[in-house]
Amino acid sequence: MKHEITFRPSGKKAVVSHGTSVLAAAHRAGVHIPTRCGGKMGCLMCKINVDEEARGMLSRPAESEKRKLGSLVHQGVRLACQSKIEGPVTVDIPEDKLKAAIRKQLEAARQEDQDRLW
């Protein structure tokens, strides 16, 4: 059985076999999800966000994933390396913190330039 996964915010998609990890599906779709441990749940870098209706399309979190993520699991945070696709699903890839900080600085500088022109 095959399922489609959509990655936000890029909108990229992949069709993968039932039970494929979100991390492997992201690789297939050309979506970068950071990881250092190679999918062994050691680095906790591959966090994704899943809304409530989509949670049923991924495997249930194992006890080890629940221990690692704590209360974040109840907020829809999962590890891409541990989440297995069980139906058509859309997941959100959080923006890298460094890129987000740089983007905010650039936006502020642009706004300052616009304010000076007016």
Side-chain angles (χ1 to χ4, degrees), residues 30-96:
V31 174
H32 176 71
I33 297 178
T35 181
R36 286 194 185 132
C37 69
K40 297 182 176 82
M41 200 172 47
C43 67
L44 303 180
M45 291 179 66
C46 66
K47 292 183 188 98
I48 57 171
N49 296 315
V50 184
D51 63 30
E52 209 166 318
E53 62 187 56
R55 291 179 198 171
M57 298 298 138
L58 295 177
S59 59
R60 298 180 76 125
E63 288 303 315
S64 55
E65 184 180 6
K66 287 179 185 178
R67 278 194 304 277
K68 294 269 188 175
L69 292 174
S71 65
L72 292 175
V73 169
H74 304 294
Q75 298 169 30
V77 176
R78 295 289 309 272
L79 295 175
C81 67
Q82 300 300 302
S83 304
K84 309 292 186 226
I85 301 165
E86 296 182 345
V89 66
T90 298
V91 299
D92 293 301
I93 310 300
E95 185 176 25
D96 177 83

Side-chain angles (χ1 to χ4, degrees), residues 1 6-7 16 52 57 76 100 112:
M1 183 181 300
T6 303
F7 296 92
V16 296
E52 209 166 318
M57 298 298 138
E112 285 178 20

